[in-house]
Amino acid sequence: MIRRRSLLAAPFLTAAPALGQSAAWPSRPVRLIVPFTPGGATDAVARLLAERLSASLGQGFIVENRAGAGGNVGAEVAAKAEPDGYTLLAATISVSALAPHLYPRLNFDPVKDFASIGATAHVANGVLARPDLPASSVAELIALARARPGGLSYGTPGNGTSGHLCAEYLKYQAKIDIQHIPYRGTSPAIADLVGGRLDLCVDNLPSYLPHVREGKLKLLAVTSAEHWFAAPEVPTVAEAALPGFAATAWWGLQAPLRTPEPILARAEQALLAALAEPATQAKLREMGIEALPMGRAAFDRHIAAENSKWGEVIRAAGIRAE
């Protein structure tokens, strides 16, 4: 009888440390992988949230930049990390909603290999034009593009970026043909647009606003569903020409699949509390970015909806990124 009781108790004794570790999380610093280079919007949002989470949870959240392949290098590192809550991923639209359709051969699944913690923030893209382009609205741009099939060009920070896909979505909805010119980042695209060597850019709005305010560029519309706080007087693409059009670049927080439920729940609670802080919201707005507080279930639904939308756009445009 004594032997039998000992055997029955063994599974519970084995499980106890894991449960105890989950309850104590975090008991040491947490690695937050940012799958892009330092200095960009993804990095800025992640560092702000890392600071807030460190303060609320009492352990350091250490940002580690692992750039490459449109965010897939860092995301793969996170996906294959130990699911113990000590490696998290700064999730992005590029990895979670675009990569599954752009990259046919990945060593991980951008959707199935992660457990959501929550969404963090988003930013509108702008449809921007050189000052002398004979179009001052999206409706006029569409008319001009139809009159000159393939005769206009638009720049983005690169193939497969949110700006690229947003522009292809606009082309798909408006049934127009505009030539894509991919650049190695935002700065050279802005230089060519300001210099008149490019007709348009579709990209995250904040980097372009100083040039718009100086009169060096025209902001025809924003791609968000509603007016964007940083340019409240500018119409949306939806109200200007294409009802129902909406597209923003967004970020979130994820953990490797099979991370224990208590850890996910505590991280979700801390994240939503950080995003509710007026100081966090104000700091994001200083960057031209807006908080997008979503818990785990809502973020999962958002990722699924974005995959459905962007998968259709990518297939229709025939885009592939190797």
Side-chain angles (χ1 to χ4, degrees):
M1 180 64 72
I2 292 173
R3 175 179 172 80
R4 186 181 176 194
R5 285 177 179 170
S6 298
L7 290 171
L8 285 172
F12 297 96
L13 292 172
T14 302
L19 291 173
Q21 289 168 10
S22 297
W25 182 90
S27 59
R28 55 186 170 86
V30 177
R31 178 174 63 154
L32 176 55
I33 293 181
V34 173
F36 291 96
T37 55
T42 302
D43 182 68
V45 171
R47 288 180 187 277
L48 173 62
L49 269 299
E51 176 188 307
R52 298 293 191 262
L53 292 173
S54 295
S56 67
L57 292 172
Q59 288 290 340
F61 279 68
I62 311 302
V63 171
E64 180 179 317
N65 296 91
R66 299 291 291 268
N72 292 320
V73 169
E76 182 178 350
V77 171
K80 294 180 177 179
E82 188 71 24
D84 56 7
Y86 291 96
T87 299
L88 304 179
L89 174 70
T92 70
I93 182 176
S94 299
V95 172
S96 299
L98 305 183
H101 313 286
L102 287 171
Y103 297 88
R105 293 180 294 276
L106 289 174
N107 296 322
F108 71 105
D109 189 310
V111 176
K112 295 179 180 179
D113 286 348
F114 292 100
S116 288
I117 292 171
T120 56
H122 67 152
V123 65
N125 289 317
V127 181
L128 300 115
R130 55 183 170 84
D132 60 342
L133 188 77
S136 296
S137 69
V138 172
E140 291 178 3
L141 171 63
I142 291 171
L144 183 64
R146 287 175 178 167
R148 304 181 190 175
L152 298 178
S153 60
Y154 78 90
T156 70
N159 282 313
T161 59
S162 66
H164 178 201
L165 272 297
C166 187
E168 292 298 327
Y169 182 34
L170 192 155
K171 288 168 55 178
Y172 175 60
Q173 294 287 86
K175 298 178 173 59
I176 55 176
D177 180 17
I178 302 176
Q179 182 184 3
H180 178 220
I181 310 295
Y183 286 80
R184 291 182 179 274
T186 291
S187 295
I190 291 176
D192 275 3
L193 187 61
V194 170
R197 294 177 292 277
L198 193 62
D199 296 313
L200 304 156
C201 274
V202 181
D203 195 3
N204 296 168
L205 187 56
S207 297
Y208 294 77
L209 281 177
H211 303 281
V212 172
R213 290 167 182 150
E214 293 171 6
K216 296 178 180 179
L217 296 176
K218 290 193 292 191
L219 177 57
L220 305 186
V222 294
T223 63
S224 46
E226 300 175 350
H227 284 219
W228 195 248
F229 73 92
E233 73 288 353
V234 178
T236 66
V237 171
E239 68 183 355
L242 301 172
F245 186 101
T248 60
W250 46 263
W251 300 277
L253 196 62
Q254 293 179 314
L257 192 67
R258 294 184 295 279
T259 297
E261 169 67 20
I263 292 176
L264 296 175
R266 187 163 193 225
E268 175 189 35
Q269 182 181 32
L271 177 65
L272 292 176
L275 291 170
E277 294 175 8
T280 303
Q281 296 177 8
K283 189 66 177 177
L284 288 169
R285 284 194 160 221
E286 286 177 16
M287 304 176 197
I289 295 167
E290 193 163 51
L292 184 67
M294 291 184 189
R296 288 180 286 167
F299 192 32
D300 280 340
R301 290 192 296 271
H302 181 70
I303 291 172
E306 290 283 275
N307 266 275
S308 178
K309 177 170 75 176
W310 293 116
E312 181 180 351
V313 172
I314 290 165
R315 286 189 296 272
I319 302 168
R320 282 289 178 271
E322 297 296 337

